[in-house]
Amino acid sequence: MAGIRLQPEDSDVSQQARAVALVDLVSDDDRSIAADSWSIKSEYGSTLDDDQRHADAAEALSNVNLRAASDYSSDKDEPDAEAVSSMLGFQSYWDAAYTDELTNFHEHGHAGEVWFGDNVMEVVASWTKTLCIDISQGRLPNHVDDVKADAGELDDKLLSSWNVLDIGTGNGLLLQELAKQGFSDLTGTDYSERAINLAQSLANRDGFPNIKFLVDDVLETKLEQVFQLVMDKGTLDAIGLHPDGPVKRMMYWDSVSRLVAPGGILVVTSCNSTKDELVQEVESFNQRKSATAPEPEVAKDDESCRDPLFQYVSHVRTYPTFMFGGSVGSRVATVAFLRK
């Protein structure tokens, strides 16, 4: 699974393209057929689809749950409307998409899409490295982007103690970027077996055979270990596009809270939620968990049970921003939360 790439508008796209992106497909077979015929165009092109279909798909994606510029303000007062469901919320879509990318890899050696782009991926990896080093040294910074330490001053040995999980890893390129930053204990999971096949093939080719890849659905995870660093680049976005998105997002937070080790960090990168919206979603999750915690008389000797499970730590401040109606916003948000 990956995120949703923002696409430019195309005035020549047909009405059918707009309709298909929002249709509620009845069966898994129907979803698979539709997904196979609406694959996203990679920057390297595709040997399996014609140009017009790619143009239609790009326009369809641009119309799915992408808010107007004013909605990206970091201090919105009103909550968003319920997310519009789309094919991108179904596993069958991603299986079809990664079948295309796996074929292109075998035939041409192409790595496939870098969701949110190379620049965002590099920023996420380097920013996360700085954050983890600061935390290892006993600091909880609020302005990680302001840290400009030289590479020689950053002790990569600190990073070797961090075991890392990338949920919805897709082609696994984020884990490769983290490996370049000095992380060594890396695991990627995805519910699409085809995505895992592609990620493992790319890691082996690119000289990262020690990265582990597993087929696993984060909403029904079979993983029994916890991780000090959990990465999500677009997975929460895709989960929210399922017709049952609101419920599945609550399942997501329940599951992720069991995967992040106490004292560990969750880093979420999203193009469908602002930093403030992610923080509010975490606060709502904390409130739900607190409401279901043991009664005070039962846990009177354990005040920690009343503490929020996740606490906001920092967010990336270097993404390009724009101003609309007097408010400043960004189309990508990367936010870190500490697991208490």
Side-chain angles (χ1 to χ4, degrees), residues 107-128:
E107 293 182 356
H108 307 288
H110 297 307
E113 286 282 358
V114 177
W115 296 96
F116 302 114
D118 287 298
N119 290 340
V120 169
M121 182 174 68
E122 292 168 2
V123 167
V124 169
S126 61
W127 179 86
T128 301

Side-chain angles (χ1 to χ4, degrees), residues 66-91:
L66 300 180
R67 302 187 299 274
S70 60
D71 287 336
Y72 286 86
S73 166
S74 61
D75 58 354
K76 280 191 311 180
D77 293 326
E78 297 183 1
D80 289 332
E82 183 176 349
V84 179
S85 63
S86 91
M87 304 178 296
L88 279 74
F90 293 103
Q91 179 179 344

Side-chain angles (χ1 to χ4, degrees), residues 53-253:
R53 192 182 65 178
H54 286 315
D56 291 346
E59 176 66 13
L61 293 180
S62 72
N63 285 310
V64 175
N65 199 33
L66 300 180
R67 302 187 299 274
S70 60
D71 287 336
Y72 286 86
S73 166
S74 61
D75 58 354
K76 280 191 311 180
D77 293 326
E78 297 183 1
D80 289 332
E82 183 176 349
V84 179
S85 63
S86 91
M87 304 178 296
L88 279 74
F90 293 103
Q91 179 179 344
S92 55
Y93 175 86
W94 296 108
D95 283 340
Y98 283 113
T99 295
D100 278 8
E101 295 205 350
L102 192 57
T103 298
N104 274 285
F105 169 75
H106 288 310
E107 293 182 356
H108 307 288
H110 297 307
E113 286 282 358
V114 177
W115 296 96
F116 302 114
D118 287 298
N119 290 340
V120 169
M121 182 174 68
E122 292 168 2
V123 167
V124 169
S126 61
W127 179 86
T128 301
K129 172 183 178 176
T130 302
L131 174 66
C132 291
I133 288 177
D134 282 351
I135 291 174
S136 295
Q137 295 175 338
R139 300 193 298 268
L140 284 178
N142 287 321
H143 296 86
V144 176
D145 299 304
D146 296 335
V147 177
K148 302 297 182 183
D150 295 332
E153 299 176 2
L154 302 180
D155 189 356
D156 286 350
K157 291 181 179 179
L158 294 173
L159 299 178
S160 65
S161 65
W162 289 76
N163 61 333
V164 182
L165 174 66
D166 182 25
I167 53 178
T169 193
N171 56 21
L173 294 184
L174 176 60
L175 288 172
Q176 290 194 29
E177 196 64 32
L178 289 169
K180 296 174 187 177
Q181 295 291 335
F183 293 94
S184 57
D185 188 350
L186 299 162
T187 301
T189 62
D190 202 292
Y191 67 2
S192 172
E193 184 175 0
R194 296 170 179 89
I196 293 301
N197 291 340
L198 175 62
Q200 189 68 72
S201 298
L202 287 167
N204 291 339
R205 184 198 68 179
D206 297 339
F208 301 99
N210 293 329
I211 299 178
K212 299 181 289 290
F213 292 101
L214 304 169
V215 177
D216 187 72
D217 184 348
V218 65
L219 300 185
E220 300 176 357
T221 183
K222 302 300 190 295
L223 300 181
E224 296 181 353
Q225 72 177 110
V226 293
F227 297 83
Q228 288 177 289
L229 174 61
V230 175
M231 305 292 295
D232 174 343
K233 185 164 70 71
T235 297
L236 182 59
D237 285 347
I239 288 172
L241 290 175
H242 190 277
D244 297 325
V247 173
K248 288 185 176 292
R249 288 177 78 105
M250 288 191 287
M251 294 171 60
Y252 168 93
W253 289 107

